[in-house]
Structures are given as C-alpha cells and as structure tokens.
Amino acid sequence: MINLTAKQISAVLNGEFFASSSFQDYTISEIITDSRTFFGGSNVAFIALTGPVFNGHNYIAQLRKKGVQIFIVSDKNFVDDKASYILVKNTGLALQQLAAYNRKQFLQPVIGITGSNGKTIVKEWLYDLLSTELKIVRSPKSYNSQVGVPLSALLIDTQYDLAILEAGISKPEEMQRLEPIIKPEIGVLTNIGDAHQENFQSLDEKLNEKLKLFVDAEKLVFRADRFYSKTTLDFCLQNSITPVNWSLEEQTATIQFKCNAKSSSTTIEARINQEHYSFVIPFTDDSAIENACHCFATIIALEKNPKDFLAQFSKLQPVAMRLEIKQGINNCLLINDYYNSDLNSLSIALSVLKQQAAKSHLHKHVILSDIQQTGIETAELYSKVNQLLQEWGINKLTGIGEALYKHQHIFKLESEFYSNRHEFEKHFARSNYSSSAILLKGARQFEFEKISSLLQQKAHQTVLEINLNALVHNLNTFRKLLQPATKIMVMVKAFSYGSGDVEIAQLLQHQNVDYLAVAVADEGVQLRNAGITIPIVVMNPEHDSFQNMIDFNLEPNIYSLQLLQQFEAAVTEFGITNFPIHVKIDTGMNRLGLKTEKEIEQVIEFIVKTKHLNIQSVFSHLAGSDDQELDDFTHQQFERFAHLSGLIEKAFKYKIDKHILNSAGIERFPNHQMNMVRLGIGLYGISQTGLQLQQISTLRTTVSQVKTIGTNETVGYNRKGKVQHQSRVAVVPMGYADGINRRLGNGLGSAFINGQEARMIGNICMDMLMLDVTNLDVSPGDTVEIFGPNISISTLAQLLETIPYEILTGISQRVKRVYLQE
C-alpha cells in the first residue's frame, strides 16, 4: 500500500501543489478513482480520471463531503480553496506514474501474466498453490486494464514476498504503458487467441504487443507447441530471457507433460531433464489442463521444489470470475464472492455490498471466513478487517473460522462467531435473515456455497444469468459513437427486455444515463419504489394512470391533442406548474404520434396558453433503421421530423431536446443524433452493423433425468419424438411456460450440455423439454444452456424466423434472474 506525503506524491508526479503548509505532510495511504465505491475513510487521495464518457472532476464536490481532502486533477478550473490539489497534465498518466514509482520500491519477485485467456485463473491458482509458503499480493479480481493494473500495483508493499499481477490490452501501444508498472522478473504468457482481436490486424501483431510486458524479464513461461512459440522463443533470445517453456508434444521443451483424463479429474505427469513429477487436478477440460501446466512451470521458474506443491493441485477450485448477485430468502439479496478471501478483495466486495444495500435500503450483513493471508500478524489483520467493516458502515458480521472465533473481541459491531461452517449450520434459522444485503466472503475450504444454498430463495432451477459488466460494456460502446453533449434515454420497458427492470435501472442510474423509458406507468412506479430518481418517460400513458404519474414524477409521451388536454386537466387539479412532457411526432411509423402540421399547431397553441406543462423533448420513431433497403424512407423521416419539430422549437423560448435514433439508428445514422438518442436492444447485446457488443444473457437449467428409450419408442405428447434405435434422452425442467418457443421441438432447436450440442426431441411441454443425448456424456444435474456463449440470441431468432426482441421479452418472469458483476 502506498505511504507517501502529499508533497512527495506531487514531486513524483512533477505536479503543481495547491495546499496549505499543514497539508504538505499529510500522509496518503490509499488512492481512489471511483467516487461510487468510496463511502468514507482517511488518508485518501482521489485521482480525477477523464475519458470519452466520464469526467472524474465532476465528483470532487461530492467526495469533499465524504471527507476526501487531497485531489489529483488535470483541470485547473476545479482548483479552489476548499481542499488541497495536485495539478498534473494527465491524470491517467499520473496514476500510472505513481504506480510505477511504488513498484520500484518493491525488491521481491513480481510475476507478470498476460495472454488472451486464462490470466485471472492462472493468477488465482498460483496464489492458492504458493500462499501456504509465501506472503503474496495479487491483482484484485481481473484488474488488468490501464486503470486496474496501476491500482493493483499500488497495493504492493514490503510485507509481501511475492507479487502476482495480470495485464490485459485491447489495442496497440497499451502494454508499453503497463510494463514499467509491473516490471516482472518472471513472465507468464497464457495463450494467444481471438479475444479482443478487433483492434489488432493479426494475431502476430497482438502477440508482439503482449510480449512487450516481458522485455526486461529474467524468465518467461509459455507453451512450446503453439503457432506463436517460435516467435516467443526468438523474443527470449533477443532479450536475454531464460525460456521456461512446456509442451504436451514438443520433446525439446523445458518441461514435457503427459495427461490422463478420467471422469472428473486429470493426472498430469511432468518431466524436467531426468526428474519426474505427478499431480492430479480436479478438472478434465483442455483449458484447465493448460492453466495447471502454466502454474507448474511458473513454480519451476521461481526455483521452488515442485514436490512441496504437488498435493495442492488436487485442491484447486473453479475461479469465480464475477460477483454473483441473486435473490435470497425473506427479501434478502445475496452477494456471493466466496473462493476469494483477502483484505484487498474484501474492500472491493464491501463497496458492492454498500451499493446494492443502498439501492433497496437494506441492512448490510457480512458473512466472513478466516482470511488466509499470512502477510500480517493475526490480531493486526482482524483489526484492519474491523476498521474496514466500520468504514463501510456494515451493520452485522457473522464470522466463521477458528481465527475469527479466537479474535472476536476485536470487532466493534453487532456480530456472531462460529468456529466452523458446521457450527453455523447447526444454529441457522431462516427467520434471522430478512431485508438484508448479505455478502458471503470466504476462503475455498469453508465451502460457503453451502451457506449460499441455505440463504438462497428456493425457486425454479432454471435461471437467466445477466452479466452486468457486459451491459456496461455495451452502454459505453454506444457512448463512444455519440457527441459528448448527446443525452441517452435507455429503454427499460417490458421488464428491461426480459432482463429485470429494477436491477438494470439501478445499474443505469449508477452509470449516469439521462433518462429511462418504460411502457406503462406501473413499470415507472416500481422503479421509483426501488429508489430510481432519474427522469422516467412513460411511452404509453393511460388516463387511469395519471394519478400515479403525477405522484411519482413520471413524464408522459403526449401523442394526441386529446391526451394533452386530459393530462393538463389532471396536473391543473393539483396546482402543479411546468410538469415535463414529451411530444411524439409520427413521421411514417403510423403508430402513436402527431402526424400533420394542423395537429402540431393545435398542440402548440394549447401548451403556449397553459403554465402547467413544459415540453422536455420532441421525438419520433424510425420504421426501418435496421434495413438498408428502407434507407430512402428513413431519410424522408429525418426530413419530416426536422420540419415538424422545428415548428415546435420556434414556438417556445426554452430549450427542447430532440431525438429520433434508436439502437440501429445510432449505429447507422450518427449524423442524426441531435440532442438525445434512445438506446434499446443494443444495450442488451444486439448489433445491426457488427458493433463489438457483448451478449448479456445466458439462459441455463439442469438435467432432471436421463433415461434409455428403446427402438421404435416415442418421446412426449402426440408421440412426435420418434427414435429409430435405442437412444438416451435427457429431461430438462423448462418449457413453453418459461418462454421456450414450441416450434423449437422435434429437432429444430438444440441446447448445450457440458459443451456438447443436443437436439430437442418431441414436442415442447409446458414445464419440460427433452433432449436427445445418445452418445453424449450427460448425467442428472448437468448444466444445460438454452442460449448463451454457445448459442447466441440472434442465432435462435433466425432459427425461429423472428427478432431477438421476442426471444428476450418472452422469457417468463417465473425464471429467476441472477446478476453477475466483476
């Protein structure tokens, strides 16, 4: 952890210091860059990062109220006498410079990991394997970006024996900025593949960029039987780096491996010169085997005796790459972050807990296991944990483990302690948990997934997983297409296209979108009750909903003179002035909207005479923005809208926003973004032009039963599922009541089980469907993917000759939504 005075930091950054003399010696121990994840604490400095869609300087006033007194800024206009400031040319560069300085003070080995896939898993597995012997600091989660890497490097201090940092890049020239920050003695190149390929002309270009991380390394671990191996070996020779390469095939590699996979584990034999070693991992897939081999080779590069670590390989666990947020019992919210327990990751998880609890006004409860970190004396460690819990305003702690039980006297908040998980389970009572956000944070050996099972709301075993990080990625991808002043209205109608309205709206509010749009007032009321405060437009207002719209400050889409008169009468009755409305113009869609100049003139005349309404925006809807053959008509709509909206603009002295572009329009007609755009299906991962979006949803269920069907038997209703020979059929608890289209039955649709495709057989039932799993390795309890990484929503829509909207909105609300967040 960095420990410098403000004056020293200013010198490191070659910055201009604006502060009273008393603050020059103010010690900084923590650097923050995100105002949303900071809720209090001392000895903190905030770096105001800027980017295409954000400006950290705008949050300085908010952070001053939380007690931050030192700010590192690049805009002198924000320097005042209310706090102390270090003025630099570029705050992003300043963060990296400060991290590089901190790295130089660390004299112990640093392992730097990069590659297309597997970086985080290799990092976490190395930590698990080596932490029994070494005190290790590592990148939290997947902090491997231009911001994440320096934040990780700032965690390094002299108490550790080893640092493990990962680096990711998405375009050329990024790695050379990360190299001075990590400066690894030992490098690990996991692999080179297509991930984040869009900004590289070839895999060779990406490889050469990745290798820049290791230019001053002493040793480099990599696989010797890949297409990039010769280039990597030449790089080692050119830079006097010792290659520690390994192979399943190449006999000249430093380490040769042989693998024998069984049903649930793999035995790996390693040969180094004349030495032979054997270890077992509890995985059989190729990626896990490759990651384990990288770990073994890294242990060799560290010059450790592999025999001391062989037994640990059998204890490796799957790495939870993201926080998992799901509904719990008695109105509780579960945040699962088990399998990853140390001070750094605890602080990150507490910030998520604080955010989630604040959204729904929930009690904050942490269930924590012993922290297996040997870098700090135990009493000091738990004093730090106690301080963290108090700084984040945690209401209750449940401690599980011998060390926590022994040191329970340290904690100064409501708490309970158990020596192990079994003791906790003995005393568990469902009634003790209600209206709380509960963070489960435990080391792997404590098996907190069993506690999660106790607290989880028992429901349909089918789930729709929503990747919130993918949603933010998609939002920022569209933001990059917009001018800085262009506002964004996000469509969250129809249960946020099936993704869950409240959770999505809460995330969008945190991402500072300008407007949300719902279909009917009831949807808006639900969002207001969940704590959503940003403006909400109701696209289909009804007379019976006016009361709710006024009570909950929901803004109507006014599409006719009659509706305008009715709503104005309701507002007038309450004595309200300047209530915001949005005027809809029909430019050719021939749905709702004012179509003629006469209608618009009547609306203008009415609004001019009333003091009760204020036009917030004027908008229209494109009929075919995704269809190139309709571009002529689309341009006619643009012209029509410019003319008719201009009539409204001229009639009022105040500023009125205009918007006509939907998701496809943003992609295809960026010159018509006007003051605002409406983002809908694009946010959920569907692009019309090949934009690099991420699918946010995965629909999963599990196999209920596998049975053998004899020759000439049939499967399902009306005996539609016919088999010609003895077959195996998996029964899956999901049907058309969950949103599975019946047309997918009888071989049209398929699902993936353990990475294997299985065709649907027989008619889709209300609550079940059947899969032909003949010759596939499938057992009850196996995970079934209906759509996700292996089957895209767009592919499914094409198969059914429909649109992705119908697939997404058709998923029944009885299907539990689970939210994943890094």
Side-chain angles (χ1 to χ4, degrees):
M1 189 71 70
I2 191 168
N3 194 30
L4 297 171
T5 66
K7 186 176 181 180
Q8 288 171 326
I9 290 176
S10 182
V12 169
L13 302 180
N14 194 28
E16 188 176 356
F17 197 28
F18 297 86
S20 63
S21 58
S22 62
F23 269 98
Q24 294 193 16
D25 295 326
Y26 185 83
T27 300
I28 304 298
S29 59
E30 183 181 1
I31 300 293
I32 61 171
T33 61
D34 190 340
S35 63
R36 295 165 301 176
T37 60
F38 177 75
F39 294 91
S42 57
N43 304 102
V44 172
F46 174 72
I47 297 186
L49 300 178
T50 61
V53 297
F54 64 89
N55 186 343
H57 295 83
N58 295 331
Y59 302 96
I60 289 175
Q62 174 186 331
L63 285 164
R64 279 203 305 262
K65 294 178 181 177
K66 294 181 179 180
V68 179
Q69 295 176 301
I70 301 287
F71 297 90
I72 300 172
V73 299
S74 58
D75 187 341
K76 195 170 183 178
N77 292 322
F78 286 87
V79 175
D80 54 33
D81 58 1
K82 298 178 181 178
S84 297
Y85 299 88
I86 300 172
L87 180 64
V88 298
K89 291 182 179 180
N90 183 306
T91 49
L93 180 60
L95 174 64
Q96 295 174 345
Q97 288 174 329
L98 193 57
Y101 174 85
N102 195 56
R103 165 65 182 94
K104 286 180 181 178
Q105 315 313 306
F106 188 65
L107 303 179
Q108 303 301 324
V110 173
I111 298 173
I113 306 173
T114 192
S116 298
N117 303 103
K119 299 183 292 293
T120 301
I121 295 174
V122 169
K123 178 198 69 185
E124 292 297 324
W125 282 3
L126 281 173
Y127 178 85
D128 290 341
L129 292 165
L130 297 167
S131 59
T132 55
E133 179 179 315
L134 301 172
K135 292 171 282 188
I136 302 172
V137 60
R138 70 198 192 279
S139 305
K141 295 290 184 181
S142 53
Y143 272 34
N144 58 30
S145 66
Q146 298 290 302
V147 174
V149 168
L151 290 176
S152 300
L154 286 170
L155 299 174
I156 295 174
D157 64 33
T158 55
Q159 67 175 296
Y160 297 107
D161 302 317
L162 176 70
I164 309 175
L165 304 178
E166 60 172 298
I169 58 173
S170 58
K171 58 186 178 182
E173 300 183 6
E174 288 186 335
M175 191 63 84
Q176 62 198 46
R177 293 195 289 270
L178 299 182
E179 189 276 334
I181 301 172
I182 299 178
K183 211 70 170 174
E185 281 82 14
I186 295 173
V188 180
L189 179 67
T190 57
N191 58 44
I192 296 295
D194 291 331
H196 304 294
Q197 184 62 36
E198 57 269 17
N199 294 319
F200 297 98
Q201 295 181 4
S202 65
L203 290 177
D204 286 335
E205 182 188 23
K206 181 193 288 184
L207 169 64
N208 289 325
E209 289 293 326
K210 298 271 188 185
L211 290 175
K212 290 178 181 178
L213 177 62
F214 311 123
V215 66
D216 287 328
E218 297 171 6
K219 299 176 183 179
L220 178 57
V221 173
F222 63 97
R223 188 167 180 175
D225 49 17
R226 289 289 187 250
F227 73 90
Y228 49 82
S229 301
K230 184 179 185 306
T231 302
T232 306
L233 184 59
D234 290 343
F235 171 83
C236 290
L237 296 175
Q238 291 166 9
N239 293 279
S240 301
I241 301 169
T242 301
V244 184
N245 53 359
W246 63 268
S247 177
L248 297 173
E249 305 166 7
E250 178 60 55
Q251 297 302 307
T252 59
T254 307
I255 309 170
Q256 292 91 44
F257 290 109
K258 288 186 178 180
C259 302
N260 180 21
K262 298 179 182 178
S263 59
S264 59
S265 64
T266 301
T267 300
I268 301 177
E269 305 285 341
R271 181 169 64 85
I272 309 171
N273 297 323
Q274 302 304 314
E275 297 290 332
H276 292 262
Y277 306 93
S278 178
F279 57 95
V280 176
I281 61 171
F283 306 95
T284 59
D285 59 286
D286 291 342
S287 60
I289 292 170
E290 181 174 54
N291 293 332
C293 291
H294 280 309
C295 290
F296 183 92
T298 305
I299 291 171
I300 298 300
L302 281 168
E303 299 181 3
K304 299 293 181 181
N305 186 344
K307 292 181 181 179
D308 296 337
F309 304 96
L310 296 179
Q312 293 296 113
F313 278 92
S314 64
K315 301 175 184 178
L316 294 175
Q317 297 286 337
V319 175
M321 302 295 286
R322 308 177 185 92
L323 290 172
E324 186 180 67
I325 304 169
K326 58 177 65 174
Q327 288 301 315
I329 59 176
N330 304 333
N331 192 38
C332 286
L333 189 73
L334 289 187
I335 304 170
N336 290 339
D337 193 30
Y338 36 75
Y339 301 144
N340 190 359
S341 182
D342 58 59
L343 271 180
N344 298 331
S345 65
L346 175 61
S347 181
I348 294 168
L350 288 174
S351 73
V352 176
L353 174 63
K354 179 86 173 185
Q355 289 176 16
Q356 294 294 327
K359 292 173 184 177
S360 302
H361 309 290
L362 298 174
H363 194 74
K364 296 180 290 295
H365 186 171
V366 174
I367 301 180
L368 180 70
S369 81
D370 286 350
I371 295 180
Q372 298 175 325
Q373 175 178 322
T374 58
I376 306 175
E377 190 272 326
T378 308
E380 181 186 354
L381 170 66
Y382 289 115
S383 294
K384 289 179 179 290
V385 171
N386 174 63
Q387 182 181 350
L388 269 178
L389 296 176
Q390 291 187 320
E391 287 178 353
W392 288 98
I394 303 308
N395 303 108
K396 182 177 180 181
L397 167 68
T398 298
I400 299 177
E402 294 287 352
L404 276 167
Y405 189 83
K406 181 179 178 181
H407 292 85
Q408 59 183 276
H409 62 279
I410 290 175
F411 294 91
K412 308 303 181 185
L413 70 161
E414 181 187 350
S415 54
E416 59 184 4
F417 296 88
Y418 303 92
S419 57
N420 55 56
R421 178 179 52 79
H422 300 292
E423 284 298 312
F424 169 84
E425 291 173 347
K426 283 181 187 178
H427 294 86
F428 176 78
R430 290 170 63 93
S431 58
N432 291 337
Y433 300 85
S434 64
S435 299
S436 297
I438 304 172
L439 170 65
L440 295 177
K441 187 73 174 161
R444 290 188 173 97
Q445 73 179 62
F446 288 88
E447 300 180 306
F448 268 26
E449 67 273 15
K450 295 180 180 177
I451 296 178
S452 177
S453 180
L454 292 174
L455 292 167
Q456 184 177 335
Q457 182 178 338
K458 297 299 186 293
H460 202 18
Q461 56 188 317
T462 298
V463 298
L464 182 67
E465 291 181 351
I466 312 297
N467 185 335
L468 298 179
N469 294 92
L471 187 143
V472 172
H473 166 85
N474 295 340
L475 174 63
N476 288 333
T477 298
F478 276 96
R479 274 178 161 162
K480 290 175 183 178
L481 302 178
L482 302 177
Q483 297 298 321
T486 303
K487 298 177 182 178
I488 298 180
M489 180 185 293
V490 178
M491 314 304 290
V492 292
K493 61 182 182 177
F495 202 51
S496 286
Y497 293 56
S499 299
D501 43 15
V502 170
E503 292 79 7
I504 300 300
Q506 288 171 337
L507 178 67
L508 293 170
Q509 180 164 273
H510 278 291
Q511 292 297 319
N512 299 314
V513 302
D514 300 283
Y515 272 92
L516 300 177
V518 297
V520 296
D522 286 349
E523 294 177 330
V525 171
Q526 184 178 4
L527 296 184
R528 288 286 187 245
N529 285 333
I532 301 301
T533 59
I534 59 178
I536 299 174
V537 178
V538 178
M539 303 305 278
N540 301 308
E542 299 170 302
H543 186 272
D544 290 343
S545 68
F546 287 173
Q547 178 75 55
N548 273 340
M549 294 181 64
I550 294 168
D551 289 345
F552 291 92
N553 195 23
L554 306 175
E555 304 174 14
N557 159 29
I558 299 297
Y559 53 80
S560 71
L561 178 61
Q562 180 185 22
L563 178 66
L564 174 65
Q565 293 168 336
Q566 291 173 341
F567 188 74
E568 195 267 352
V571 172
T572 301
E573 186 177 342
F574 284 88
I576 298 173
T577 59
N578 293 319
F579 195 97
I581 63 172
H582 301 258
V583 177
K584 176 82 176 280
I585 296 176
D586 181 3
T587 57
M589 186 77 162
N590 285 319
R591 292 193 317 187
L592 298 178
L594 307 169
K595 189 169 185 179
T596 67
E597 288 187 17
K598 182 178 179 180
E599 289 177 287
I600 289 175
E601 289 168 356
Q602 290 173 329
V603 164
I604 291 173
E605 182 181 358
F606 186 88
I607 297 175
V608 165
K609 292 179 180 179
T610 180
K611 62 180 180 179
H612 299 287
L613 302 177
N614 184 81
I615 302 178
Q616 201 71 27
S617 80
V618 178
F619 69 104
S620 188
H621 200 106
L622 297 175
S625 59
D626 58 341
D627 190 341
Q628 189 172 355
E629 294 183 0
L630 297 177
D631 282 358
D632 288 343
F633 183 77
T634 298
H635 284 289
Q636 291 174 23
Q637 286 193 271
F638 290 143
E639 293 173 6
R640 182 74 175 160
F641 182 65
H643 171 64
L644 295 178
S645 64
L647 297 177
I648 297 176
E649 278 188 302
K650 291 176 184 176
F652 298 91
K653 295 180 180 180
Y654 54 80
K655 179 178 173 58
I656 298 174
D657 289 328
K658 297 190 297 183
H659 48 108
I660 192 171
L661 295 185
N662 55 5
S663 295
I666 298 170
E667 292 186 56
R668 301 192 63 237
F669 304 100
N671 293 333
H672 293 275
Q673 55 189 254
M674 302 179 187
N675 309 97
M676 186 155 59
V677 296
R678 298 189 305 278
L679 182 58
I681 194 69
L683 183 71
Y684 306 95
I686 307 301
S687 171
Q688 301 296 331
T689 64
L691 205 59
Q692 294 296 319
L693 303 178
Q694 297 176 7
Q695 181 168 307
I696 74 165
S697 305
T698 299
L699 183 59
R700 302 185 192 277
T701 186
T702 56
V703 175
S704 298
Q705 185 180 16
V706 178
K707 56 178 57 181
T708 300
I709 306 296
T711 303
N712 296 323
E713 286 196 83
T714 59
V715 178
Y717 285 118
N718 304 113
R719 305 196 71 190
K720 293 290 187 180
K722 299 178 180 178
V723 298
Q724 305 301 320
H725 49 76
Q726 183 171 296
S727 305
R728 295 176 74 240
V729 172
V731 183
V732 173
M734 188 175 192
Y736 57 78
D738 299 289
I740 302 297
N741 193 306
R742 289 187 75 246
R743 291 174 55 203
L744 290 172
N746 300 306
L748 179 64
S750 61
F752 270 74
I753 310 177
N754 301 328
Q756 309 164 97
E757 186 173 12
R759 286 283 167 188
M760 297 182 186
I761 182 171
N763 283 331
I764 304 290
C765 309
M766 179 181 288
D767 307 303
M768 282 175 279
L769 60 84
M770 286 69 71
L771 300 170
D772 186 343
V773 295
T774 307
N775 300 323
L776 300 182
D777 183 13
V778 174
S779 303
D782 285 349
T783 298
V784 180
E785 175 193 315
I786 304 298
F787 60 72
N790 294 293
I791 305 175
S792 73
I793 294 171
S794 295
T795 298
L796 198 57
Q798 290 172 3
L799 194 66
L800 289 167
E801 298 180 334
T802 185
I803 55 177
Y805 297 78
E806 184 176 347
I807 303 296
L808 285 168
T809 59
I811 304 303
S812 168
Q813 292 192 32
R814 83 174 187 179
V815 174
K816 181 173 60 181
R817 271 67 175 173
V818 174
Y819 299 90
L820 306 179
Q821 181 176 342
E822 288 185 359

